[in-house]
Amino acid sequence: MASHRRLGVLGGMGPLASAQFMCRLTELTPARRDQDHIPTVLWSDPRVPDRTEARLHGGADPMPWFARGLEALEAAGCGAVVIPCNTAHGWHATMAAASRLPILHIVDAAAADLRRRGVEGGPVGILGTAGTIAMGLYQERLAARGYACLSPAPQDLEGAVMPAIAAVKAGAVRDAHDPLVAAAKALVRAGARAVVLACTEIPLAIRPEDEAPVGVPLVDTIDALARAALAWARPQAARRPAGLLEPS
Amino acid sequence: MASHRRLGVLGGMGPLASAQFMCRLTELTPARRDQDHIPTVLWSDPRVPDRTEARLHGGADPMPWFARGLEALEAAGCGAVVIPCNTAHGWHATMAAASRLPILHIVDAAAADLRRRGVEGGPVGILGTAGTIAMGLYQERLAARGYACLSPAPQDLEGAVMPAIAAVKAGAVRDAHDPLVAAAKALVRAGARAVVLACTEIPLAIRPEDEAPVGVPLVDTIDALARAALAWARPQAARRPAGLLEPS
């Protein structure tokens, strides 16, 4: 039923990022009571093999795990899927071919958020995993929208960004803060007019209050994906009295 | 496969409480990387009719909604269910009869946490919804374990606790803090040796740092339920190399 679209979340990559996605989806929904919120199913399978390892170092293929989750979300009655993991979007086309459900794209969500923040074009910095950068996930899709992408220098990527992401995944969120802010500042010095936090672990360590010292808009891809999901779900349709509804 | 038990979460009551449950489950899991975490499916359906309304004021029956969620969690391959909503446990026996999955009980989780905190018996305060208090959800189950339960005075329950819970559900978490701390202090003045935050919206507003001014242990039922889920899932079994696993 279009008025109560159930959202599917293919998550667990990492599990804290998808939990945070659920928090932000709830906080960004205009609501006065439980019944105003969007029905959602989160498939959180943290056992999915590491996406950067698979892409760059011949690690185990995550695609069978993605397919299992998409199948479960479809069986649960979801009408669309979001994936709170940027690197997993390297398999977006393969997943879209394997599932009947539309899969919203996190780079499109980030582009919408750049526009919302008033950044209409020009160079933007991409702070993401080595896998996301090497695949050109943002570069190609943003170029089509008038943005040029700046990536961290290789030594920053391997020496600061990747260890910081690993620290968040290991629960040491505070250790990740300073290296990530330094990497964002380096992108601004290289000419970035905004920095996309293009790994969903990064907004767990860099907070909105870091925007002022960095000096340009920071696009949180967890929030951007939550806004895209809300736009899909059209929550205004969910304001009918709960008593008129049946479980679906 | 017993070594990778998939946890089902019947959530959305409220949606922020179940999102917070997912965060705390992740944070409380000993893990160095994504693959160490527990596979989980969250069925978040915030459209479930209000549980206190159903129990006390003849509101719509939530049971068909619970049944739909339990069915989906079973179909998704979950091996047990937790429900991050205290009042919903008024339907625990009915749900257990309707589902093949074991449903961990939040009051048992709270009792385990009282023991973990060194509170072995005596009077404990129950800060929960009018529905939870009126059903005697804690009173009966804790009495069997040597705890006597103290409830808020009726005027505190309707004048402070219920409006504070509604404020959290409406996103006004800060407005809920002072009335809830005052209600906890009133329970301590009445003799409580611990206070159970027996509605999953309450730990969103009362934080661990409130424990010192209240003066007794505060049992967070979101955390208690996450610990019970971890004990069920035995995460130590999840430390095998991800490459040896198949999606299940």
Side-chain angles (χ1 to χ4, degrees), chain A residues 1 4 6 12-16 19-20 22-24 26-27 31-51 60 64-65 68 72 75-77 166 169-171 201 242-243 245-248, chain B residues 1 4 6 12-16 19-20 22-24 26-27 31-51 60 64-65 68 72 75-77 166 169-171 201 242-243 245-248:
Chain A
M1 198 164 73
H4 286 286
R6 190 186 305 281
M13 305 172 278
L16 195 56
Q20 172 71 0
M22 295 300 298
C23 289
R24 294 299 295 152
T26 307
E27 289 164 353
R32 288 172 302 102
R33 54 186 196 134
D34 288 357
Q35 290 76 14
D36 296 333
H37 288 271
I38 298 164
T40 307
V41 180
L42 165 62
W43 175 269
S44 179
D45 199 334
R47 300 171 302 168
V48 179
D50 187 272
R51 284 66 62 196
W65 299 75
R68 173 74 184 89
K169 287 182 184 292
E201 266 67 35
L245 306 174
E246 292 300 320
S248 60
Chain B
M1 199 164 72
H4 286 287
R6 190 185 306 282
M13 304 172 278
L16 194 56
Q20 172 71 0
M22 295 300 298
C23 289
R24 295 298 294 151
T26 307
E27 289 165 352
R32 288 173 301 102
R33 53 185 197 136
D34 288 357
Q35 290 76 14
D36 296 333
H37 287 271
I38 298 164
T40 307
V41 180
L42 165 62
W43 175 269
S44 179
D45 199 334
R47 301 171 301 167
V48 179
D50 187 271
R51 284 65 62 195
W65 299 76
R68 173 74 184 88
K169 286 182 185 291
E201 266 67 36
L245 306 174
E246 291 301 321
S248 61

Side-chain angles (χ1 to χ4, degrees), chain A residues 37 59 106 109 120-121 144 163 188 209 211 214 220 233:
Chain A
H37 288 271
I106 201 165
E120 299 285 351
V188 174
E209 56 269 27
E211 197 165 82
V214 173
D220 176 337

Side-chain angles (χ1 to χ4, degrees), chain B residues 8 36 44 65 75-76 88 127 136 149 167 179 187 189 202 210 226 245:
Chain B
D36 296 333
S44 179
W65 299 76
L127 213 51
C149 289
L187 289 167
R189 282 196 303 275
I202 295 177
D210 292 312
L245 306 174

Side-chain angles (χ1 to χ4, degrees), chain A residues 129-174:
Chain A
T129 64
T132 291
I133 303 293
M135 285 187 283
L137 198 65
Y138 274 81
Q139 293 90 318
E140 290 177 22
R141 213 163 174 109
L142 284 191
R145 288 168 174 75
Y147 300 98
C149 289
L150 300 171
S151 306
Q155 67 274 21
D156 286 352
L157 192 59
E158 292 299 340
V161 179
M162 289 300 283
I165 292 168
V168 173
K169 287 182 184 292
V173 173
R174 284 180 198 174

